[in-house]
């Protein structure tokens, strides 16, 4: 199985209301019933037992729906193989932190787009729900308010337990952090001065990342110990959730890493070097000692050949296709998939010069990033430019790029034709809070040809 180059991604679908919404629901339930993630091949096998879906459709669903994060770790020889891939479930839904201000949990929420649920109900251990005194927060995932949100996100068929797992690994307000001091120094508590009284979780940091080489012989915890269980129980977490936490924390790590580069798989894009602007202009004084990449173009497409990153030959054509927001892969016999960042199952990456918004206007060959939203007819419209009815948004590509570089988890308010919208960088959607509709958003560079670079 290869989930690269598997057809159109259907960027506007995102899994809710698309022709594969049933498959998205089933896959989500399977993941959330397995501590929030599952090996790629296992998910495919189990999904086949529940519905008819081809391998191509399966890859299409994974790549075209932001519900799923595909975590791929290259093997020792550098190749990406399906057996080394894991699928993690994600969602932009969170618990509302202002439920009482929003009018309670039974309605009158005033357009709130977050779930109105008791936090301890999500933990599986609300003491009010089990006693005579009723809880002031809702335990009903199918209340009018909650069900409307769950339906919009294709999550309405999840059980309470499955929804709890999904929220725990996506809402960073629900669980304590992993103690960084525990992972330093010697001794049973590492360098943690609080020891058994620490309010953070003592887990092996490398186990959470998925790269611990010691396995069962590791001196750090790969499970929640009795002191951790006591601390978590005091916070209100139930035993079933606590048993799943080591794997949920691993999913949290993958999701947090992916947020740093939402337009690509984070394994391919993490810690990428930058192309030296001065070298392109024949003025780099550091020469071979420069920490940036020396390349004559403001972009560089590379493939990992099993040993090292090597430049792709058809680079200008790939760049031209990538700059078109309607395209999810390049043309040609061996296309680059812009969603999985692979070509023929090999990892691909794109290096570029610094974003144009970070430099003064006289700097040439910086990367001019453009922001688009998917319009009603399926076409892509750049922010700040008129649509087919000559309506423009209150923000431009530059506005969004500046906000994005300042905080990649931020939300930006947008006005168009007296309607209010919110652009979320976390899941790359534009939402209408009043009508609860949403449109896909994407970020692509402005195309610069080889001839343009040469003539400057």
């Amino acid at each position: 199985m290869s989930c690269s180059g598997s057809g159109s991604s259907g960027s506007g679908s995102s899994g809710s209301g698309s022709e594969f919404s049933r498959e998205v629901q089933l896959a989500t339930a399977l993941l959330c019933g397995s501590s929030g993630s599952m090996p790629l091949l296992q998910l495919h096998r189990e999904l086949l037992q529940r519905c008819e879906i081809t391998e191509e459709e399966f890859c299409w669903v994974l790549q075209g729906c932001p519900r799923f994060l595909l975590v791929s770790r290259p093997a020792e020889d550098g190749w990406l193989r399906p057996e080394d891939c894991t699928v993690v479930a994600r969602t932009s839904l969170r618990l509302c932190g202002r439920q009482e201000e929003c009018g309670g949990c039974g309605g009158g929420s005033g357009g709130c787009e977050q779930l109105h649920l008791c936090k301890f109900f999500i933990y599986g251990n609300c003491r009010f729900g089990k006693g005579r005194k009723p809880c002031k927060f809702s335990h009903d995932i199918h209340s009018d308010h909650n069900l409307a949100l769950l339906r919009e996100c294709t999550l309405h068929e999840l059980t309470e337990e499955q929804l709890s797992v999904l929220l725990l690994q996506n809402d960073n307000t629900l669980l304590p952090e992993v103690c960084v001091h525990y992972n330093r120094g010697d001794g049973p508590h590492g360098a943690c001065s609080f020891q058994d009284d620490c309010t953070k979780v003592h887990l092996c940091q490398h186990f959470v990342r998925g790269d611990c080489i010691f396995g069962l012989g590791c001196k750090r915890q790969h499970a929640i110990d009795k002191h951790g269980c006591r601390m978590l129980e005091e916070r209100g977490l139930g035993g079933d959730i606590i048993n799943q936490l080591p794997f949920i924390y691993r999913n949290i790590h993958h999701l947090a890493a992916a947020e740093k580069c939402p337009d690509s798989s984070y394994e391919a894009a993490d810690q990428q070097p930058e192309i030296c602007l001065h070298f392109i202009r024949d003025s780099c004084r550091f020469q071979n000692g420069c920490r940036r990449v020396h390349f004559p173009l403001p972009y560089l497409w590379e493939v990992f050949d099993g040993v090292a990153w090597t430049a792709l030959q058809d680079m200008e054509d790939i760049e031209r296709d990538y700059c078109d927001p309607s395209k999810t892969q390049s043309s040609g016999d061996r296309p680059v998939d812009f969603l999985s960042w692979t070509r023929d199952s090999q990892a691909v990456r794109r290096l570029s010069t610094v974003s144009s918004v970070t430099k003064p206007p006289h700097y040439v060959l910086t990367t001019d990033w453009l922001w688009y939203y998917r319009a009603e007819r399926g076409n892509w419209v750049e922010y700040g430019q008129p649509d087919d009815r000559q309506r423009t948004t209150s923000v431009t590509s530059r506005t969004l790029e500046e906000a994005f570089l300042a905080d990649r988890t931020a939300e930006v308010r947008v006005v168009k034709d007296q309607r209010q919208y919110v652009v979320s960088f976390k899941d790359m959607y534009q939402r209408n809070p009043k009508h609860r509709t949403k449109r896909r958003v994407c970020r692509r560079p402005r195309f610069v040809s080889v001839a343009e670079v040469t003539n400057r």
Side-chain angles (χ1 to χ4, degrees):
M1 175 188 296
S2 171
C3 282
S4 63
S6 55
S8 171
S9 76
S11 306
S13 301
S14 78
S16 63
S18 75
E19 59 179 308
F20 292 110
S21 61
R22 180 60 180 163
E23 288 77 5
V24 170
Q25 293 177 51
L26 290 171
T28 305
L30 287 169
L31 293 173
C32 295
S34 181
S35 300
S37 64
M38 188 180 289
L40 173 68
L41 296 182
Q42 181 184 348
L43 177 62
H44 186 225
R45 286 194 302 269
E46 296 201 19
L47 195 60
L48 280 176
Q49 296 174 7
R50 293 162 174 80
C51 64
E52 294 182 5
I53 184 171
T54 66
E55 183 176 308
E56 182 180 12
E57 290 170 342
F58 176 69
C59 292
W60 191 97
V61 168
L62 287 187
Q63 294 177 358
C65 179
R67 170 73 46 75
F68 309 115
L69 172 66
L70 188 62
V71 179
S72 51
R73 297 288 183 190
E76 292 183 359
D77 58 9
W79 288 79
L80 293 174
R81 298 186 177 92
E83 57 266 29
D84 298 319
C85 296
T86 299
V87 184
V88 181
R90 58 182 170 184
T91 180
S92 59
L93 277 183
R94 303 288 186 267
L95 289 192
C96 175
R98 304 180 299 107
Q99 294 187 40
E100 294 186 58
E101 298 176 34
C102 290
C105 304
S109 57
C112 178
E113 292 196 12
Q114 306 300 350
L115 292 171
H116 289 176
L117 285 169
C118 169
K119 177 173 70 173
F120 298 101
F121 168 73
I122 297 299
Y123 289 162
N125 200 25
C126 180
R127 60 190 178 95
F128 292 109
K130 297 177 181 179
R132 292 182 178 180
K133 186 176 180 180
C135 181
K136 66 177 181 178
F137 297 114
S138 176
H139 288 199
D140 183 8
I141 67 174
H142 293 134
S143 68
D144 290 344
H145 173 78
N146 292 331
L147 185 58
L149 293 175
L150 293 172
R151 283 189 182 279
E152 178 186 346
C153 297
T154 328
L155 298 171
H156 55 287
E157 292 193 3
L158 292 186
T159 65
E160 295 174 355
E161 293 78 12
Q162 292 167 347
L163 181 61
S164 293
V165 169
L166 185 63
L167 290 172
L168 285 170
Q169 69 187 32
N170 283 274
D171 189 335
N172 59 15
T173 67
L174 294 177
L175 292 176
E177 298 176 356
V178 173
C179 179
V180 294
H181 301 289
Y182 168 73
N183 282 274
R184 300 170 182 167
D186 299 319
H189 299 287
C192 179
S193 58
F194 294 102
Q195 301 188 16
D196 292 341
D197 294 323
C198 184
T199 57
K200 296 184 179 181
V201 174
H202 284 192
L203 277 177
C204 170
Q205 200 168 33
H206 290 284
F207 171 80
V208 170
R209 293 175 180 172
D211 60 4
C212 182
I213 62 174
F214 299 106
L216 296 176
C218 182
K219 67 178 182 180
R220 304 295 184 200
Q221 292 289 339
H222 287 198
I224 307 296
D225 62 13
K226 63 178 182 180
H227 301 293
C229 286
R230 184 191 64 201
M231 180 270 294
L232 292 166
E233 287 170 352
E234 289 175 354
R235 285 182 65 113
L237 276 82
D240 290 341
I241 290 294
I242 292 175
N243 291 335
Q244 299 182 71
L245 282 186
F247 306 101
I248 291 176
Y249 273 108
R250 179 176 293 178
N251 297 336
I252 290 172
H253 166 76
H254 291 318
L255 292 167
E259 279 189 359
K260 297 178 182 178
C261 41
D263 265 1
S264 62
S265 68
Y266 75 86
E267 292 79 13
D270 193 27
Q271 301 296 319
Q272 288 187 1
E274 182 183 289
I275 295 176
C276 178
L277 270 177
H278 299 286
F279 175 80
I280 301 177
R281 300 160 63 185
D282 298 322
S283 62
C284 181
R285 59 188 177 92
F286 296 105
Q287 300 298 320
N288 293 334
C290 183
R291 64 185 178 88
R292 295 182 173 86
V293 174
H294 283 187
F295 192 70
L297 294 176
Y299 50 85
L300 170 60
W301 287 88
E302 295 181 316
V303 62
F304 192 78
D305 63 5
V307 179
W309 290 99
T310 58
L312 289 168
Q313 297 300 312
D314 46 350
M315 194 177 307
E316 185 177 20
D317 294 333
I318 296 172
E319 177 72 8
R320 182 182 290 105
D321 288 332
Y322 181 63
C323 292
D324 183 346
S326 68
K327 293 186 177 181
T328 58
Q329 64 179 38
S330 64
S331 54
D333 296 332
R334 302 178 64 196
V336 171
D337 191 288
F338 302 140
L339 298 175
S340 64
W341 288 86
T342 57
R343 186 173 82 165
D344 298 338
S345 298
Q346 291 180 293
V348 169
R349 69 179 183 179
R350 177 188 182 274
L351 308 185
S352 65
T353 53
V354 67
S355 176
S356 60
V357 302
T358 66
K359 296 293 182 181
H362 67 271
Y363 272 71
V364 296
L365 298 178
T366 53
T367 299
D368 190 10
W369 289 98
L370 306 180
W371 287 77
Y372 302 87
Y373 63 91
R374 195 174 178 89
E376 297 173 1
R377 298 182 180 180
N379 58 307
W380 291 88
V381 179
E382 183 188 347
Y383 281 90
Q385 298 299 313
D387 61 12
D388 55 0
R389 295 168 59 185
Q390 300 303 306
R391 299 173 300 178
T392 58
T393 56
S394 59
V395 301
T396 63
S397 286
R398 184 177 182 86
T399 310
L400 290 172
E401 180 68 8
E402 289 173 343
F404 178 72
L405 294 181
D407 183 1
R408 298 195 175 201
T409 65
E411 293 184 344
V412 177
R413 296 196 174 275
V414 178
V415 178
K416 187 181 81 168
D417 196 29
Q418 297 184 339
R419 293 187 178 182
Q420 304 280 338
Y421 301 93
V422 175
V423 172
S424 171
F425 295 146
K426 278 189 176 182
D427 59 4
M428 299 299 279
Y429 272 101
Q430 173 184 287
R431 288 181 170 81
N432 183 321
K434 181 178 181 180
H435 300 287
R436 293 183 180 175
T437 56
K438 58 184 182 181
R439 299 189 183 280
R440 198 79 177 105
V441 170
C442 76
R443 173 183 183 249
R444 296 286 177 93
R446 187 189 302 279
F447 178 64
V448 177
S449 68
V450 174
E452 287 180 77
V453 177
T454 305
N455 294 332
R456 284 185 177 180

